[in-house]
Amino acid sequence: MKTKILNIIGAMMLMLTFVACSEDHTSDLQLSGDCRVEAFALDGYEGTIDFATRSILVRLPEVYETSAMKVTSLAISNGAQCNISLGQTLNMDAAKVMHVSNGDVFLDWTISVLRDEARIYQFVVNDIYRGNIDQDAKTITIYVPASVDITNLVPTIEFSANATITPASGVSQDFSQPVTYTVTNNSAESTYTVTVIAIDKPKALFIGAASTMDDLDPEAKEACLWMMSNVEGTLYASFAELKAGTVDLDECKIMWWHYHKDGGVDGHDQFVANAPEALEAVNVLRSFYENGGSLFLTRYATNLPSFIGATGNDEWTTPNNCWGQDEDKAELCGGPWDFKIYGGHNDHALYAGLITGDDPNAVYCTDAGYHITNSTAQYHIGTDWGDYPDHAAWENRTKATILGVGGDGAVVAWEYPAKDGKGGIICIGSGCYDWYSYTFEAGYVENFHKNIATMTKNAINYLTK
């Protein structure tokens, strides 16, 4: 009975509370305030305020120090307060959040800066020939075969975000004389001089089975485009063109063959079956090598030296431990992949200027988020297989010098030194040496993978000097 009476009293008190609230219609919450940002500037540079996204963007010159910027203008709604004050110095190397409150209402605004960059990042004509860009001199040089009509080339240009370019990308141009391109982005402006050079005597060749570089597989094409952008006087040549003698080799100092095949090319017999175009041109390649021309051979192209007499004997000494995955099923790297520098060759030109990590003997090649086919053409070392019981036996039989090994000691990088009037050869068969990832994981940042281009440039410079 007592409990029932208490419940009745509690219910009556609750009803009185509801009545009081409904009759009063008042609250302690202050919800009428506005939290707008009306004006904002850093170092005198006015910000663009986007009310929909609650963001403020301050545009700056292309070269500008952002680590200590002063708030020189700040206007917010009447009665509002914020966590940033007029005259305050901010480090704008990263975006800042400005918290604006007015009574019990608040809004957060994101403040960021954007430099008015005016740059050309990539310049390709006819979707094939990529220019070599000198950002300091603001020049772009493109080499094309003499058979290409340079009076009617169509450039595809990648340039700074928010910028405009004149003449426009995709518009046909006559490049028989240098053409200037102007990039404008707010306060920034840059003028590039583009020169197209038609050559009939290349200084360097990227070679392959495809009839044109555009027909190369994605892995080889990426490597070829890099070479054409970074090695002066480079052209692409097919094995058929070499065999037919339609490429003038008088001034050519180096050929690079980066041979990829999905699933791998495992050993001598598979190489013969899968690379007939190369073997049909083998006499031209042998003559080039014997007359002082150098070769850079990567991935399954590392089978070639024995076919052109570089091993100095009649034995077949092709990689005996090979495999690979399909490009569209490439393995995800959870972190950097590497191979090891062998025999104290840390000072070899191949390894100059690499980005280093914890292990001074490691050649780091990939980063987390990169997809790699792990296409490998290496030499297994050990008495269990019988071919090469140890590294010394391998060097004695192949007449080559070991430059790099895998974690199990397999030979993955080696050199046939130039001698007796013959050119030099550098081979890299490590699965870590990879040019193309079919996709990248979210947040991917390229760091160690830059070593692939650095090693390649080192090898080409070393072999051509």
Side-chain angles (χ1 to χ4, degrees):
M1 183 68 178
K2 182 178 180 181
T3 302
K4 184 175 182 180
I5 293 171
L6 290 173
N7 288 340
I8 293 171
I9 293 172
M12 292 176 66
M13 292 179 66
L14 184 60
M15 289 176 64
L16 289 172
T17 300
F18 287 153
V19 170
C21 287
S22 62
E23 290 178 351
D24 191 14
H25 295 293
T26 61
S27 170
D28 291 334
L29 292 175
Q30 303 298 314
L31 302 177
S32 60
D34 200 351
C35 299
R36 291 166 62 91
V37 177
E38 305 294 347
F40 185 86
L42 293 169
D43 289 356
Y45 292 97
E46 292 290 336
T48 300
I49 302 171
D50 188 325
F51 296 103
T53 61
R54 293 198 302 277
S55 62
I56 304 169
L57 180 64
V58 180
R59 301 289 294 269
L60 302 173
E62 184 170 1
V63 179
Y64 198 88
E65 176 58 50
T66 61
S67 62
M69 299 189 70
K70 182 179 289 187
V71 180
T72 53
S73 175
L74 176 61
I76 56 179
S77 300
N78 289 334
Q81 296 178 331
C82 71
N83 62 327
I84 293 175
S85 59
L86 187 66
Q88 183 177 348
T89 297
L90 302 177
N91 182 347
M92 293 306 302
D93 290 345
K96 293 288 182 289
V97 174
M98 183 164 63
H99 184 81
V100 181
S101 61
N102 199 338
D104 292 304
V105 179
F106 69 88
L107 289 176
D108 285 337
W109 297 76
T110 301
I111 306 169
S112 59
V113 299
L114 178 66
R115 293 182 178 87
D116 294 332
E117 186 178 78
R119 293 194 175 196
I120 293 177
Y121 295 116
Q122 184 171 288
F123 197 103
V124 181
V125 294
N126 288 12
D127 294 327
I128 298 177
Y129 307 103
R130 187 181 295 185
N132 187 344
I133 302 175
D134 186 329
Q135 293 291 2
D136 293 329
K138 294 293 185 289
T139 59
I140 302 174
T141 306
I142 308 169
Y143 296 93
V144 301
S147 58
V148 173
D149 179 11
I150 65 173
T151 67
N152 185 28
L153 297 176
V154 178
T156 302
I157 313 167
E158 292 183 10
F159 51 93
S160 299
N162 304 309
T164 59
I165 190 166
T166 306
S169 176
V171 176
S172 175
Q173 291 292 328
D174 179 354
F175 285 98
S176 57
Q177 298 294 325
V179 179
T180 58
Y181 280 78
T182 301
V183 185
T184 304
N185 190 1
N186 200 32
S187 65
E189 183 174 288
S190 297
T191 298
Y192 289 77
T193 301
V194 182
T195 303
V196 177
I197 301 174
I199 54 177
D200 54 8
K201 294 185 178 183
K203 297 179 181 179
L205 289 176
F206 189 97
I207 57 178
S211 57
T212 70
M213 63 173 289
D214 208 37
D215 297 323
L216 290 168
D217 63 88
E219 169 73 24
K221 186 175 182 179
E222 188 68 22
C224 180
L225 289 172
W226 178 90
M227 188 180 187
M228 297 189 74
S229 299
N230 293 275
V231 181
E232 181 181 345
T234 295
L235 291 180
Y236 173 78
S238 68
F239 291 120
E241 290 174 308
L242 293 178
K243 179 185 176 183
T246 58
V247 182
D248 192 329
L249 301 179
D250 284 351
E251 296 182 11
C252 186
K253 296 183 179 298
I254 188 167
M255 296 183 188
W256 177 18
W257 184 20
H258 183 62
Y259 176 28
H260 169 80
K261 180 176 175 59
D262 278 355
V265 178
D266 189 9
H268 172 275
D269 292 347
Q270 283 198 22
F271 179 76
V272 171
N274 286 281
E277 300 89 352
L279 298 183
E280 288 174 3
V282 74
N283 290 335
V284 176
L285 296 170
R286 178 191 289 267
S287 178
F288 175 76
Y289 163 67
E290 291 180 344
N291 285 285
S294 293
L295 294 164
F296 182 43
L297 304 172
T298 50
R299 200 158 284 189
Y300 306 118
T302 55
N303 283 274
L304 185 64
S306 199
F307 289 85
I308 61 173
T311 57
N313 54 52
D314 294 330
E315 291 185 287
W316 292 111
T317 54
T318 54
N320 63 359
N321 189 202
C322 311
W323 65 85
Q325 301 172 18
D326 291 354
E327 196 70 71
D328 61 356
K329 301 173 184 175
E331 183 175 353
L332 173 63
C333 295
W337 285 28
D338 68 84
F339 65 89
K340 309 298 181 184
I341 299 173
Y342 176 80
H345 286 297
N346 301 64
D347 60 350
H348 193 283
L350 181 66
Y351 303 129
L354 297 184
I355 299 171
T356 57
D358 295 335
D359 184 350
N361 289 315
V363 180
Y364 296 97
C365 297
T366 67
D367 302 286
Y370 186 93
H371 289 259
I372 190 169
T373 61
N374 193 19
S375 297
T376 302
Q378 64 183 20
Y379 287 88
H380 176 80
I381 301 297
T383 56
D384 53 332
W385 284 25
D387 292 343
Y388 308 99
D390 53 40
H391 291 114
W394 183 90
E395 290 190 329
N396 182 63
R397 181 176 170 187
T398 63
K399 305 301 186 291
T401 301
I402 302 172
L403 300 180
V405 295
D408 61 353
V411 178
V412 299
W414 60 98
E415 172 187 6
Y416 301 89
K419 62 180 181 179
D420 302 329
K422 298 178 182 178
I425 302 174
I426 284 183
C427 296
I428 300 179
S430 169
C432 300
Y433 183 88
D434 193 282
W435 276 94
Y436 175 81
S437 177
Y438 79 96
T439 188
F440 297 94
E441 296 302 297
Y444 172 80
V445 177
E446 184 175 68
N447 181 39
F448 290 123
H449 187 251
K450 296 175 184 176
N451 285 337
I452 300 299
T454 300
M455 271 194 296
T456 302
K457 191 65 177 288
N458 288 343
I460 292 171
N461 287 341
Y462 173 76
L463 290 168
T464 54
K465 288 183 179 178

